[in-house]
Amino acid sequence: MPFPDQVSYVKSNKLGDAVLGSISVVIPHLDESLLPPPTCFAEIRAQLIEQLKCLDQQCELRVQLLQDLQDFFRKKAEIEMDYSRNLEKLAERFLAKTRSTKDQQFKKDQNVLSPVNCWNLLLNQVKRESRDHTTLSDIYLNNIIPRFVQVSEDSGRLFKKSKEVGQQLQEDLMKVLNELYTVMKTYHMYNADSISAQSKLKEAEKQEEKQIGKSVKQEEKQTPRSPDSASSVKFEEKHVRRSSVKKIEKMKEKRQAKYTENKLKAIKARNEYLLALEATNASVFKYYIHDLSDLIDQCCDLGYHASLGRALRTFLSAELNLEQSKHEGLDAIENAVENLDANSDKQRLMEMCNSVFCPPMKFEFQPHMGDMVFQLCAQQPVQSELVQRCQQLQSRLSTLKIENEEVKKTMEATLQTIQDIVTIEDFDVSDCFQYSNSMESVKSTVSETFMSKPSIAKRRANQQETEQFYFTKLKEYLEGRNLITKLQAKHDLLQKTLGESQRTDCSLASRRSSTIRKQDSSQAIPLVVESCIRFISRHGLQHEGIFRVSGSQVEVNDIKNAFERGKSSCVCLCVCFCASGFKRR
Amino acid sequence: MPFPDQVSYVKSNKLGDAVLGSISVVIPHLDESLLPPPTCFAEIRAQLIEQLKCLDQQCELRVQLLQDLQDFFRKKAEIEMDYSRNLEKLAERFLAKTRSTKDQQFKKDQNVLSPVNCWNLLLNQVKRESRDHTTLSDIYLNNIIPRFVQVSEDSGRLFKKSKEVGQQLQEDLMKVLNELYTVMKTYHMYNADSISAQSKLKEAEKQEEKQIGKSVKQEEKQTPRSPDSASSVKFEEKHVRRSSVKKIEKMKEKRQAKYTENKLKAIKARNEYLLALEATNASVFKYYIHDLSDLIDQCCDLGYHASLGRALRTFLSAELNLEQSKHEGLDAIENAVENLDANSDKQRLMEMCNSVFCPPMKFEFQPHMGDMVFQLCAQQPVQSELVQRCQQLQSRLSTLKIENEEVKKTMEATLQTIQDIVTIEDFDVSDCFQYSNSMESVKSTVSETFMSKPSIAKRRANQQETEQFYFTKLKEYLEGRNLITKLQAKHDLLQKTLGESQRTDCSLASRRSSTIRKQDSSQAIPLVVESCIRFISRHGLQHEGIFRVSGSQVEVNDIKNAFERGKSSCVCLCVCFCASGFKRR
């Protein structure tokens, strides 16, 4: 019980005394300790004790909450550190494998392939997440937990001080109540005195009346008798009566004065009581409506919510930064997945193994023993035979081309079917994260998503069947293309030669063409240009330059100027390109 | 070595035979196995083998990559499951504690306090993350890994088929090359025959010339001699010479025919060679530029990149869903942190402990023994004393109020300083996630952020000093307010009474006022309304209704109608409110 004895209240009631003193009411001696306080005072005092108990309890809960938060973040820091270490181990396991590979250059080359790029970014992401969870753990331990420790300290200190203030306010309130009690008792006492004085005065007035009534009667009784014989008796009687009346009058006056005095005292005491009542009610209202509220504010407002909020905001900031970092990594992976490209990988592979995929030199005519004829001879007697053969080839080719075009169409349609199967957008797993309110059916939901669908097995069987058909058609198409290529080459040469032989005779043509062989349309492309074209058609589409990705304007202008100065534009462009292409690798 | 023996090529060269047959070139017997193939053929064959080896290697790397991806996700699934279990344990540890608390209702009440709400959301978030990481793990195992298995299977199967196609294409190419070789040899042979026939013809022509020259000489020699004696000899000689010339001529004719025949054969063979050369170059170009590219496409395009992409997109979808779920939880926590509010918590606390914080009944005047005067008596002789006292109180109050206002200002300024300290926005930990390229300095960066800053200790010392000063000022202010409240209540009562006594005499006033006491301005408020006001001022600001948060229009109209039917609006409103307020709890 935080309250001192009630008596000490009244004795130390200096403010009350000062007020009472200023209106000069003389309080009669009262032994307050002998007067029991009213029941409502005890009830109020019990309520005041409960109020402090309630605040005590809140403080305890607060301390407990802060302790829980510390324990929670300490344990979570461990979990995050554990997770981080496991991720680090996972990344290292595969990165070490990459590093241990002997052929570093080869690995370097492989890295430019788009699936390998995805894989590397996946490992990077794990490393990044590992690092971020270490940071998170560290922030928990070295920032958030110390904040909770501080909040706990501050909260305890503030509560202690607030409780002191509360106790002071309650003491003051009890003083006011006791003051009211005292003043009420005083009023009751003075009023009792006033009533008693009044009744005594009334008694005196009654006696006086009685005395006056008696002497009038006696005078009336004595009047019919002889006035002389009775006069001495009368005189004596009159004298006795007069002194008695005087005595009564004196008493009455005395009692009147006493009553007036007590009446004034009672009025003053009542006034004092009424004033104290007003002050008490105001104080009680103030305490319950303002003081209690302010008291709780002291426990709450002085930083508890704000500091707790800051600690939690630190947690949120850490989590959001982790999220952002993770998201950046996922963006990079997403970008790499977007760039998964079979065609550019093919180009890169061919660049990597350039010697393996580079076409051999063109086969040249090997003349026998100084044979000077390098061209088809279309003179008679072979001319008609060649003409016939050219016609046969032409009709054969047109049939073959139509047939092979059909095969190609079928093949391409089949390929499209396969590509439709393999590019089906079945990768959204949002459903798995839409939990029902109960958390029991998680497993089954996920399992359904990909593997358990009966359509998957059917789809895969279908895919393989389509694939098989595709390869059949592919082989058919490639065989047809092989034959067409050979026959077309022969046909074209025959047609060209026969066309020429109509203008010139065979020997002349053969002699002339042997000298201008390099400028002939069938042989028109110089070897260096042919090589450049090969290079460009293979690698050119992947490189920056004037071919696809626009290069620097300066370089383009240099090439233009070189062309305008009269150099062969084609060779120049090709050589420029080759040089930049090789530099690039 | 995937290539069958070279001889078998030529023997199975049906397409080539067909073409050759159509131009009816008779190929002389050639034992191809005895003729060594040119060096460039061997080089090309070696290159073709390398090409398949290169594709083999790519396939192996692909299989290895897919195996690594499976291992990676299997291990990561374990890590995620582990993390999930740890989070689950963490959440359960604290949730169990909450559940074990005996006083369920009390706990329920506590939950409405804003810090407890934050704590509950924090635990919910851990449960949510636990659940999400389980889902993630499950998606890895039951969706992503099976996808990689499928990609691996598909990729291997496609590679095998593609390799078959490639081998076929290479066989076809080698056939073409061998065909060229054969045709070239044929040309060389026929050309050699043609040259030999030509030289034999030339020899015959020489002999003929010689023979003709000899007979002309003999005839010229014989002419100057006797014509008769020499005529028989001449005739015999002439006969012999004629038969010799005839013989030579016959031989020459025969050799001419042979040469013409061989010459035609050589021309035809050269034509055939030239056509084969054209066809071969076209086939080689086709193989290197088109076939090889198509071949690699078969390994790559038929779903490898697309299926790998889908598997990785599944991973991304899972990660992004996890991120979104986590973010939703963090948003909820952020919202709860925003709603950390000392004032509403105070209101809730007072609602929870309503009986403890509810003001007692107003103290009523306790008249002594039928005393009928309930008001201050301001008649003479106490009147002048009361007037003086009222003046004294007024001047005392104005001084006290000025003084206390100063104290209040200082107190409020101090509170503001404390609030500035506790609401400082020091919770951004973005810096901790901005790593330098090396990952070594993570620890030091984090530690600096909150605890190691020298300003923190200083700030805390400063905070406590300010706090101490604040409490000193607070006590001073509250003491002042206590005194002012009491004096003000007395002063107001005095002033009111003295104002009234100027209009009516004391006894009249006291008698009148005793009858209309309940309607008097100081007592004007009926008890039920007073209670309602108390209730509203305490709880009303938190509740839905017409006071702050707008309630349903129906209820508001009901109240309006009740008012218009003539019921006391104030009481009605209050009662309505109280009813809804109590119902709410």
Side-chain angles (χ1 to χ4, degrees):
Chain A
M1 220 186 69
F3 295 102
D5 192 21
Q6 201 184 327
V7 179
S8 67
Y9 274 151
V10 179
K11 280 184 180 156
S12 68
N13 190 345
K14 279 176 196 121
L15 280 173
D17 284 350
V19 173
L20 289 170
S22 71
I23 54 165
S24 65
V25 172
V26 181
I27 302 170
H29 177 72
L30 271 172
D31 190 2
E32 294 93 352
S33 63
L34 296 176
L35 297 167
T39 331
C40 72
F41 280 27
E43 278 168 11
I44 288 173
R45 204 163 67 179
Q47 201 189 25
L48 295 183
I49 291 165
E50 281 303 313
Q51 284 165 7
L52 290 184
K53 263 193 194 164
C54 181
L55 294 183
D56 264 330
Q57 200 179 37
Q58 284 305 311
C59 181
E60 271 167 37
L61 286 168
R62 192 172 286 185
V63 167
Q64 186 55 55
L65 176 64
L66 289 163
Q67 190 57 51
D68 280 353
L69 281 165
Q70 288 170 48
D71 292 348
F72 171 82
F73 277 102
R74 202 167 286 118
K75 184 68 194 154
K76 189 147 198 282
E78 272 174 40
I79 293 172
E80 297 297 340
M81 202 59 219
D82 209 41
Y83 185 53
S84 169
R85 270 195 221 103
N86 284 334
L87 291 178
E88 172 76 16
K89 256 189 270 172
L90 175 63
E92 274 310 313
R93 179 173 150 186
F94 289 98
L95 288 172
K97 207 171 163 184
T98 308
R99 280 193 285 268
S100 74
T101 305
K102 286 163 203 163
D103 191 348
Q104 283 298 316
Q105 184 54 45
F106 177 72
K107 272 283 158 188
K108 228 177 195 171
D109 287 342
Q110 285 295 317
N111 284 350
V112 299
L113 295 182
S114 57
V116 179
N117 186 37
C118 288
W119 170 232
N120 288 338
L121 287 175
L122 216 55
L123 294 178
N124 278 353
Q125 176 72 355
V126 172
K127 281 215 88 158
R128 179 200 274 259
E129 285 183 32
S130 162
R131 204 174 51 185
D132 289 347
H133 282 273
T134 294
T135 306
L136 194 66
S137 173
D138 205 35
I139 289 171
Y140 286 174
L141 290 176
N142 297 315
N143 186 333
I144 295 174
I145 293 174
R147 281 177 190 268
F148 287 126
V149 172
Q150 284 184 11
V151 175
S152 199
E153 280 171 17
D154 290 354
S155 191
R157 198 179 57 246
L158 285 169
F159 175 75
K160 209 177 144 202
K161 285 183 184 168
S162 299
K163 197 176 169 184
E164 280 169 22
V165 172
Q167 284 171 338
Q168 185 60 51
L169 287 168
Q170 292 190 346
E171 279 179 27
D172 291 349
L173 184 67
M174 287 313 293
K175 268 183 213 166
V176 171
L177 293 180
N178 280 300
E179 205 176 293
L180 177 68
Y181 177 62
T182 307
V183 175
M184 184 188 79
K185 284 286 157 202
T186 308
Y187 150 64
H188 282 191
M189 199 172 65
Y190 281 128
N191 209 55
D193 287 355
S194 170
I195 289 167
S196 127
Q198 192 180 25
S199 65
K200 276 183 183 163
L201 173 61
K202 274 184 183 159
E203 200 183 305
E205 278 172 347
K206 248 180 213 160
Q207 276 183 11
E208 190 192 37
E209 239 165 62
K210 213 156 89 191
Q211 198 62 43
I212 288 166
K214 206 189 272 175
S215 60
V216 169
K217 247 188 217 161
Q218 276 175 349
E219 271 170 28
E220 279 170 3
K221 226 188 255 173
Q222 281 164 357
T223 308
R225 282 185 220 165
S226 64
D228 297 339
S229 64
S231 68
S232 66
V233 177
K234 266 180 195 170
F235 180 81
E236 201 176 305
E237 275 181 350
K238 230 176 215 171
H239 184 75
V240 170
R241 274 204 301 270
R242 199 170 293 134
S243 76
S244 164
V245 167
K246 246 186 192 157
K247 225 167 146 187
I248 287 167
E249 263 175 9
K250 215 173 175 181
M251 187 187 74
K252 202 197 87 180
E253 268 165 30
K254 205 177 147 194
R255 288 191 176 179
Q256 179 68 50
K258 184 75 181 174
Y259 168 62
T260 307
E261 188 198 329
N262 282 2
K263 175 85 180 165
L264 184 63
K265 273 187 184 171
I267 287 170
K268 281 188 178 178
R270 191 179 57 220
N271 277 357
E272 214 48 49
Y273 173 43
L274 283 164
L275 285 168
L277 194 63
E278 199 75 8
T280 302
N281 278 326
S283 290
V284 169
F285 181 82
K286 178 190 69 68
Y287 174 80
Y288 275 89
I289 302 304
H290 299 294
D291 291 354
L292 267 182
S293 178
D294 290 352
L295 194 62
I296 297 172
D297 285 347
Q298 299 331 306
C299 303
C300 296
D301 261 359
L302 282 176
Y304 172 65
H305 284 74
S307 300
L308 188 68
R310 275 156 61 221
L312 290 171
R313 277 180 209 277
T314 307
F315 160 74
L316 287 170
S317 172
E319 289 287 348
L320 291 174
N321 273 290
L322 181 97
E323 184 184 301
Q324 198 191 327
S325 171
K326 183 172 178 174
H327 196 88
E328 278 169 21
L330 291 177
D331 274 349
I333 294 175
E334 192 167 18
N335 189 43
V337 173
E338 292 282 345
N339 287 326
L340 273 176
D341 182 21
N343 206 44
S344 62
D345 281 351
K346 181 176 72 181
Q347 298 292 347
R348 281 175 197 140
L349 177 65
M350 287 177 130
E351 274 185 61
M352 280 193 291
C353 313
N354 196 35
S355 65
V356 173
F357 292 102
C358 197
M361 298 283 276
K362 195 166 181 171
F363 292 105
E364 294 293 332
F365 177 69
Q366 307 286 328
H368 180 259
M369 302 281 282
D371 185 2
M372 292 299 284
V373 183
F374 289 81
Q375 286 228 311
L376 277 188
C377 177
Q379 277 178 299
Q380 281 300 3
V382 292
Q383 191 181 21
S384 57
E385 208 179 82
L386 289 182
V387 167
Q388 191 195 356
R389 193 177 170 190
C390 187
Q391 284 163 352
Q392 281 174 346
L393 279 173
Q394 196 158 11
S395 84
R396 178 94 198 276
L397 271 169
S398 69
T399 314
L400 279 174
K401 279 179 182 171
I402 289 165
E403 283 170 6
N404 214 40
E405 196 55 37
E406 283 307 308
V407 174
K408 194 185 177 190
K409 275 180 193 163
T410 311
M411 181 187 82
E412 282 174 349
T414 315
L415 181 63
Q416 190 54 54
T417 309
I418 293 173
Q419 280 172 347
D420 287 349
I421 294 171
V422 298
T423 57
I424 188 168
E425 299 205 341
D426 61 351
F427 41 76
D428 185 0
V429 291
S430 303
D431 287 350
C432 304
F433 288 86
Q434 308 297 323
Y435 308 102
S436 58
N437 287 336
S438 78
M439 277 155 51
E440 290 146 34
S441 57
V442 173
K443 285 266 168 183
S444 60
T445 318
V446 174
S447 305
E448 266 175 34
T449 323
F450 186 71
M451 287 311 283
S452 301
K453 275 185 185 162
S455 63
I456 298 289
K458 203 178 154 193
R459 199 169 74 187
R460 284 191 57 73
N462 186 27
Q463 185 182 339
Q464 289 186 29
E465 209 173 290
T466 313
E467 212 175 274
Q468 189 57 51
F469 183 69
Y470 172 74
F471 271 97
T472 310
K473 283 290 150 187
L474 177 70
K475 276 181 195 161
E476 207 178 314
Y477 168 71
L478 290 175
E479 272 176 17
R481 191 168 71 174
N482 266 352
L483 184 52
I484 288 168
T485 304
K486 281 188 288 188
L487 299 188
Q488 187 72 50
K490 287 178 179 175
H491 168 265
D492 290 354
L493 183 60
L494 279 172
Q495 198 172 42
K496 189 171 67 73
T497 310
L498 291 169
E500 274 175 6
S501 70
Q502 281 173 348
R503 292 194 304 272
T504 59
D505 71 290
C506 179
S507 66
L508 201 76
S510 82
R511 230 175 283 130
R512 185 182 61 101
S513 69
S514 73
T515 55
I516 58 156
R517 198 172 61 87
K518 295 284 166 191
Q519 282 72 45
D520 192 286
S521 73
S522 74
Q523 298 275 353
I525 308 164
L527 208 64
V528 60
V529 176
E530 193 189 299
S531 158
C532 288
I533 289 169
R534 264 197 282 139
F535 186 89
I536 291 164
S537 67
R538 174 146 303 156
H539 310 305
L541 301 184
Q542 301 305 316
H543 282 287
E544 194 188 324
I546 56 171
F547 291 96
R548 211 167 128 173
V549 186
S550 63
S552 92
Q553 192 55 42
V554 178
E555 283 180 46
V556 174
N557 288 343
D558 283 352
I559 293 165
K560 272 190 189 164
N561 293 338
F563 173 72
E564 280 157 11
R565 279 195 304 272
K567 290 183 184 172
S568 160
S569 70
C570 180
V571 172
C572 172
L573 291 178
C574 293
V575 170
C576 281
F577 179 79
C578 289
S580 80
F582 278 105
K583 204 167 65 196
R584 231 161 251 290
R585 272 187 301 160
Chain B
M1 220 187 69
F3 295 102
D5 192 20
Q6 200 184 328
V7 179
S8 68
Y9 275 150
V10 179
K11 279 183 181 156
S12 68
N13 190 346
K14 281 179 193 113
L15 280 173
D17 284 350
V19 173
L20 287 171
S22 72
I23 52 165
S24 66
V25 172
V26 181
I27 302 172
H29 176 72
L30 272 172
D31 189 2
E32 292 93 351
S33 65
L34 297 176
L35 296 169
T39 331
C40 73
F41 279 28
E43 277 168 11
I44 289 173
R45 204 162 69 178
Q47 203 190 21
L48 295 182
I49 293 165
E50 282 304 312
Q51 284 165 7
L52 291 183
K53 264 191 195 167
C54 182
L55 295 182
D56 264 332
Q57 200 180 38
Q58 284 305 310
C59 182
E60 272 168 37
L61 286 168
R62 194 172 285 185
V63 167
Q64 186 56 54
L65 175 64
L66 289 163
Q67 191 56 52
D68 281 353
L69 282 164
Q70 288 170 49
D71 292 348
F72 171 83
F73 278 102
R74 202 166 286 118
K75 185 69 195 154
K76 190 147 197 283
E78 273 175 39
I79 293 171
E80 297 298 340
M81 203 58 220
D82 207 43
Y83 185 54
S84 169
R85 272 196 219 101
N86 285 333
L87 291 178
E88 172 75 14
K89 257 188 269 170
L90 176 63
E92 275 309 315
R93 180 174 151 184
F94 289 98
L95 288 171
K97 208 171 163 184
T98 308
R99 281 193 286 267
S100 73
T101 305
K102 285 162 204 164
D103 190 347
Q104 284 296 315
Q105 184 55 45
F106 176 74
K107 272 283 157 187
K108 227 176 194 173
D109 287 342
Q110 284 293 318
N111 284 350
V112 299
L113 295 183
S114 57
V116 180
N117 186 37
C118 288
W119 170 233
N120 289 338
L121 287 174
L122 215 54
L123 294 178
N124 278 351
Q125 176 72 356
V126 171
K127 281 215 88 159
R128 178 199 277 260
E129 285 184 32
S130 163
R131 205 176 50 185
D132 289 347
H133 281 272
T134 295
T135 307
L136 193 66
S137 174
D138 205 35
I139 289 172
Y140 286 174
L141 289 176
N142 297 315
N143 186 331
I144 296 175
I145 292 174
R147 281 177 189 267
F148 287 126
V149 171
Q150 284 184 9
V151 175
S152 199
E153 281 170 17
D154 291 353
S155 192
R157 198 179 58 246
L158 285 170
F159 175 75
K160 209 176 143 201
K161 284 184 184 166
S162 299
K163 197 176 167 182
E164 281 169 22
V165 172
Q167 283 171 340
Q168 185 59 51
L169 286 169
Q170 292 190 347
E171 277 178 28
D172 292 348
L173 185 67
M174 287 313 293
K175 269 183 212 163
V176 171
L177 292 180
N178 280 299
E179 205 177 293
L180 178 67
Y181 176 63
T182 307
V183 175
M184 185 188 78
K185 283 285 157 204
T186 309
Y187 150 63
H188 282 191
M189 199 172 66
Y190 280 126
N191 210 53
D193 287 353
S194 170
I195 288 167
S196 129
Q198 190 179 28
S199 66
K200 275 184 184 165
L201 174 63
K202 274 185 182 157
E203 200 185 307
E205 280 172 345
K206 252 181 210 161
Q207 276 186 11
E208 189 192 40
E209 240 166 61
K210 215 156 88 186
Q211 197 63 41
I212 289 165
K214 209 190 270 176
S215 61
V216 169
K217 249 187 216 164
Q218 277 177 348
E219 272 172 29
E220 279 170 0
K221 229 190 252 175
Q222 284 167 353
T223 308
R225 286 188 216 165
S226 66
D228 297 337
S229 65
S231 67
S232 64
V233 178
K234 266 180 193 172
F235 179 80
E236 200 178 310
E237 275 182 350
K238 231 175 213 173
H239 182 76
V240 170
R241 272 203 303 271
R242 200 170 293 132
S243 77
S244 165
V245 166
K246 243 180 191 162
K247 225 164 149 186
I248 288 167
E249 261 174 12
K250 214 171 174 183
M251 185 186 77
K252 201 198 90 180
E253 267 165 32
K254 202 175 151 194
R255 288 192 177 179
Q256 179 66 51
K258 184 78 181 172
Y259 168 64
T260 305
E261 188 197 330
N262 283 3
K263 176 84 181 165
L264 184 62
K265 276 185 181 171
I267 286 170
K268 282 188 179 178
R270 188 181 58 217
N271 276 359
E272 215 47 51
Y273 172 43
L274 284 165
L275 285 168
L277 193 65
E278 200 72 7
T280 304
N281 278 328
S283 291
V284 169
F285 181 81
K286 177 189 68 68
Y287 175 79
Y288 276 89
I289 302 304
H290 298 295
D291 292 353
L292 268 182
S293 179
D294 290 353
L295 195 62
I296 298 172
D297 284 349
Q298 300 329 309
C299 304
C300 297
D301 261 359
L302 282 177
Y304 172 65
H305 283 75
S307 300
L308 188 69
R310 274 155 62 223
L312 291 172
R313 277 180 210 278
T314 307
F315 160 74
L316 287 170
S317 172
E319 289 286 348
L320 292 174
N321 273 291
L322 180 98
E323 184 184 299
Q324 199 191 327
S325 171
K326 183 172 177 174
H327 196 87
E328 277 169 21
L330 291 177
D331 274 349
I333 295 175
E334 192 166 18
N335 189 44
V337 172
E338 292 283 343
N339 288 326
L340 273 177
D341 182 21
N343 206 44
S344 62
D345 281 351
K346 181 176 72 182
Q347 299 291 347
R348 281 173 196 142
L349 177 66
M350 288 177 129
E351 276 185 61
M352 281 192 290
C353 312
N354 195 36
S355 65
V356 174
F357 292 103
C358 197
M361 297 284 275
K362 198 167 181 172
F363 291 106
E364 295 293 332
F365 178 68
Q366 306 287 328
H368 181 257
M369 303 280 283
D371 185 1
M372 292 299 283
V373 184
F374 289 80
Q375 285 230 308
L376 277 188
C377 177
Q379 279 178 293
Q380 283 299 4
V382 291
Q383 188 181 24
S384 56
E385 208 180 79
L386 288 183
V387 168
Q388 193 195 353
R389 193 177 168 189
C390 187
Q391 283 164 354
Q392 279 174 348
L393 278 173
Q394 194 159 15
S395 82
R396 179 94 198 275
L397 271 168
S398 69
T399 313
L400 277 174
K401 279 181 182 169
I402 289 165
E403 282 171 8
N404 214 41
E405 196 55 38
E406 282 307 308
V407 173
K408 194 186 177 191
K409 275 181 193 161
T410 310
M411 182 187 81
E412 282 175 349
T414 314
L415 181 62
Q416 190 55 55
T417 308
I418 293 172
Q419 279 172 346
D420 288 348
I421 293 171
V422 299
T423 58
I424 187 167
E425 300 206 340
D426 60 351
F427 42 74
D428 184 1
V429 291
S430 302
D431 287 351
C432 304
F433 288 86
Q434 308 297 323
Y435 307 101
S436 57
N437 286 338
S438 77
M439 277 155 50
E440 291 147 34
S441 55
V442 173
K443 284 264 168 185
S444 59
T445 317
V446 174
S447 305
E448 265 174 36
T449 325
F450 186 70
M451 287 310 284
S452 301
K453 275 183 186 165
S455 63
I456 298 289
K458 203 177 154 194
R459 199 169 74 187
R460 285 191 56 72
N462 185 29
Q463 184 182 340
Q464 290 187 27
E465 209 174 289
T466 313
E467 211 175 272
Q468 190 56 51
F469 182 71
Y470 172 74
F471 272 96
T472 310
K473 284 290 150 189
L474 176 70
K475 277 181 194 160
E476 208 177 314
Y477 167 73
L478 290 175
E479 274 176 16
R481 191 168 71 175
N482 268 351
L483 184 52
I484 289 167
T485 304
K486 282 186 288 187
L487 300 187
Q488 187 74 50
K490 289 178 177 175
H491 167 266
D492 291 353
L493 183 61
L494 280 171
Q495 199 172 39
K496 189 172 66 75
T497 311
L498 292 170
E500 275 173 7
S501 70
Q502 279 172 350
R503 294 193 302 271
T504 59
D505 70 287
C506 181
S507 65
L508 201 78
S510 82
R511 232 173 284 132
R512 184 184 60 101
S513 69
S514 73
T515 56
I516 58 156
R517 198 174 61 88
K518 294 285 168 194
Q519 283 69 49
D520 193 284
S521 72
S522 74
Q523 297 276 353
I525 308 165
L527 207 65
V528 60
V529 178
E530 192 189 300
S531 160
C532 287
I533 289 169
R534 264 197 283 139
F535 186 89
I536 290 165
S537 68
R538 175 146 301 156
H539 310 304
L541 302 183
Q542 301 304 316
H543 282 288
E544 194 188 323
I546 56 170
F547 292 96
R548 210 169 128 172
V549 184
S550 64
S552 91
Q553 192 55 44
V554 178
E555 283 180 46
V556 174
N557 288 342
D558 282 352
I559 293 165
K560 270 188 191 164
N561 294 337
F563 173 74
E564 280 157 11
R565 280 195 304 274
K567 292 184 183 173
S568 158
S569 69
C570 181
V571 171
C572 172
L573 291 178
C574 291
V575 169
C576 282
F577 179 79
C578 289
S580 80
F582 278 105
K583 204 170 61 195
R584 228 160 253 290
R585 271 186 302 157

